[in-house]
Amino acid sequence: MSIKMKWVTLVSIIIVLLVVGWFLGTRLTVKKYEVSSTKIEKEIKLVQLSDLHFSEFGDKNEKLLDKVANLNPDVIAITGDLFDKQGDSVPKALIKKLTKIAPVYYSPGNHEYDVKNAYEDDYKPFLEETGVVNLEDKTATINADGQKFQMSGLRSSANLDYDYPYYKEGIAEIKPQQDSQYYQILLSHMPDYFELYVENGFDLTLSGHTHGGIMRIPYTNIGAIAPGPQRTLLPEYVYGEHSKDGKTMIISAGLGAGSLHQKAFPRLGNPYEIVAVTIKPETK
């Protein structure tokens, strides 16, 4: 094969990969996980939604809502960046319909703190009025058809520095509210502090924020970048399932492309996703 043909072949392969990656990045998918615990006696079905960023899938998010409803969840967990500078009409309309499918639990992301006044004065009261449980540094004991477990939420921050103390302060507030006999789920927008979550006894952490690494090698956990605090290429905690000392963290690729300037970066090989987690009993 001539040098020219080799270059033509290489460029053709790159173009095909980009087209396939772009196509995958436009799809709404359901990513399913299973975890187990000796603390669980009866199966729990949980749906996680993250990083909406004003996105709509179908008319008034009909496609998204249909997929969530078909999963028949016991609980819906939202892990931040539901609201941002783009407005509130889309997230508010979605929330009103989600609460008719299953109980909704929420913890905020960094973009809620970018619009802090609106979040405090409008969005938080709206969530309360619609029946959403805001777990901002709080713990709720949930009874899902006879199976009790606890879910906590960690506040986020617009400050994306590793040394910013909000996450340690938040966990210090959560700890006294927990009962170790129950399976512990943490909703934390930032996946960066997985070791801290493990140290504090959370059996399952649900995170978002990274948008799956923006550009990801399809069907892998390898994403290109993580927007702070990791701020690195090929970050460790960017997507998928991670385990440490018997504890699990699941990072959602999210539902949005980001807000404003972030939308300039296309999602490649990185579908929008709904996360469905089944928590099963484990034989002692």
Side-chain angles (χ1 to χ4, degrees):
M1 184 183 291
S2 67
I3 293 177
K4 181 178 180 180
M5 283 304 298
K6 288 180 179 178
W7 275 107
V8 169
T9 301
L10 177 61
V11 170
S12 298
I13 291 171
I14 291 171
I15 290 172
V16 169
L17 290 174
L18 288 173
V19 170
V20 171
W22 174 83
F23 172 73
L24 289 173
T26 63
R27 297 171 60 228
L28 175 63
T29 61
V30 176
K31 178 67 174 178
K32 295 183 177 181
Y33 297 91
E34 286 188 2
V35 296
S36 61
S37 173
T38 56
K39 297 179 182 178
I40 297 297
E41 296 179 350
K42 191 173 183 179
E43 186 175 286
I44 301 166
K45 291 189 292 184
L46 183 152
V47 162
Q48 177 199 7
L49 304 177
S50 195
D51 300 271
L52 181 69
H53 291 296
F54 216 73
S55 296
E56 287 189 281
F57 301 90
D59 184 38
K60 298 180 181 178
N61 262 317
E62 182 179 321
K63 291 181 180 179
L64 172 61
L65 288 159
D66 284 348
K67 285 183 180 292
V68 172
N70 288 337
L71 290 166
N72 193 27
D74 296 305
V75 173
I76 298 170
I78 298 178
T79 49
D81 286 3
L82 175 66
F83 299 102
D84 64 18
K85 293 178 180 178
Q86 297 172 92
D88 62 10
S89 58
V90 170
K92 283 185 174 180
L94 178 63
I95 284 292
K96 288 177 181 177
K97 293 178 179 178
L98 285 173
T99 54
K100 296 177 181 178
I101 297 173
V104 178
Y105 294 81
Y106 159 91
S107 68
N110 56 296
H111 279 272
E112 275 85 353
Y113 292 93
D114 283 338
V115 288
K116 189 168 180 60
N117 288 340
Y119 172 65
E120 293 291 341
D121 299 339
D122 182 3
Y123 305 155
K124 283 175 72 172
F126 164 79
L127 292 171
E128 183 176 355
E129 289 165 8
T130 51
V132 175
V133 180
N134 187 346
L135 294 173
E136 190 172 0
D137 294 344
K138 295 176 182 176
T139 298
T141 302
I142 302 171
N143 189 331
D145 195 21
Q147 175 62 62
K148 288 186 177 181
F149 62 98
Q150 288 192 317
M151 182 178 287
S152 304
L154 187 62
R155 72 177 180 265
S156 189
S157 171
N159 187 320
L160 299 181
D161 291 337
Y162 262 121
D163 59 357
Y164 194 67
Y166 78 89
Y167 52 96
K168 291 182 179 177
E169 294 170 356
I171 286 179
E173 289 186 37
I174 290 169
K175 289 298 288 183
Q177 304 173 52
Q178 292 179 291
D179 187 334
S180 60
Q181 70 173 303
Y182 296 124
Y183 188 81
Q184 299 290 332
I185 300 174
L186 175 67
L187 310 185
S188 179
H189 185 65
M190 301 288 187
D192 309 70
Y193 312 108
F194 182 37
E195 285 78 10
L196 184 69
Y197 308 152
V198 169
E199 290 170 9
N200 284 276
F202 294 104
D203 299 293
L204 173 65
T205 298
L206 301 177
S207 289
H209 181 66
T210 57
H211 299 186
I214 313 298
M215 294 168 282
R216 195 169 79 245
I217 297 175
Y219 311 111
T220 75
N221 288 4
I222 303 173
I225 58 174
Q230 295 181 73
R231 291 197 184 105
T232 183
L233 295 176
L234 302 178
E236 181 178 6
Y237 298 133
V238 71
Y239 177 72
E241 184 174 0
H242 300 263
S243 298
K244 185 178 178 63
D245 297 338
K247 312 297 184 185
T248 301
M249 176 170 69
I250 292 171
I251 308 170
S252 170
L255 296 165
S259 61
L260 305 176
H261 67 283
Q262 291 179 336
K263 288 189 174 178
F265 298 95
R267 290 171 63 119
L268 296 176
N270 180 28
Y272 302 107
E273 74 175 19
I274 298 162
V275 169
V277 184
T278 301
I279 308 168
K280 294 188 170 184
E282 181 180 290
T283 304
K284 295 183 180 180

